[in-house]
């Protein structure tokens, strides 16, 4: 099994920054992609940012230019630097690891973290 542990959430004022971290542990041979999703109260979970094993990154339009995703492959860790935070960024942020394989012949599986709350409020 694979566990994802997120950290770095909290309460900040508009315009401030936060950095989220997510470390994957367990039986891991390789992870295709890691990313961050968020879910605000009363809304569906949405993709925030995603980064593949070759470093290709995608962002939701609402966070482009403000958020930066990065990945430490040897440590199976993904980060999300969030700058110029807005009240609309308030949500529970979930880490995702996509197509995780335990060996070269294993079937890929997806995993989720339990989430970390980010609140942006004055």
């Amino acid at each position: 099994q694979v566990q994802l542990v997120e950290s770095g959430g909290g309460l900040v004022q508009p315009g401030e920054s936060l950095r989220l971290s997510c470390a994957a542990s367990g039986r891991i041979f390789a992870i295709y992609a890691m990313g961050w999703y968020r879910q605000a109260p009363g809304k569906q979970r949405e993709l925030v940012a995603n980064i593949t094993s070759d470093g290709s990154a995608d962002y939701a339009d609402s966070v482009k230019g403000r958020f930066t995703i990065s990945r430490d492959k040897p440590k199976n860790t993904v980060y999300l630097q969030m700058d110029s935070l807005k009240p609309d960024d308030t949500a529970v942020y979930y880490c995702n690891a996509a197509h995780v394989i335990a060996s070269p012949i294993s079937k890929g599986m997806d995993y989720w973290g339990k989430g970390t709350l980010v609140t942006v409020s004055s």
Side-chain angles (χ1 to χ4, degrees):
Q1 288 296 324
V2 173
Q3 296 79 39
L4 301 181
V5 178
E6 302 115 330
S7 61
L11 171 64
V12 295
Q13 295 187 347
E16 294 186 337
S17 299
L18 275 177
R19 187 185 192 220
L20 304 183
S21 300
C22 171
S25 62
R27 292 190 62 198
I28 300 171
F29 177 79
I31 303 174
Y32 171 68
M34 297 186 76
W36 292 92
Y37 290 70
R38 68 186 180 187
Q39 187 166 17
K43 295 186 177 181
Q44 290 188 332
R45 189 174 297 188
E46 62 175 2
L47 173 69
V48 177
N50 191 60
I51 185 167
T52 62
S53 57
D54 65 357
S56 297
D58 289 314
Y59 296 90
D61 288 343
S62 59
V63 307
K64 284 181 180 178
R66 300 188 298 121
F67 291 11
T68 303
I69 191 169
S70 60
R71 180 175 173 180
D72 186 332
K73 286 181 63 178
K75 294 183 178 180
N76 292 321
T77 300
V78 65
Y79 305 95
L80 185 68
Q81 177 66 40
M82 305 186 293
D83 299 319
S84 302
L85 282 161
K86 304 175 181 180
D88 284 349
D89 296 318
T90 296
V92 176
Y93 284 70
Y94 296 92
C95 178
N96 171 263
H99 198 77
V100 181
I101 57 174
S103 74
I105 61 171
S106 298
K107 177 182 177 181
M109 297 184 66
D110 293 353
Y111 296 91
W112 291 90
K114 294 182 178 180
T116 184
L117 177 62
V118 172
T119 303
V120 185
S121 175
S122 55

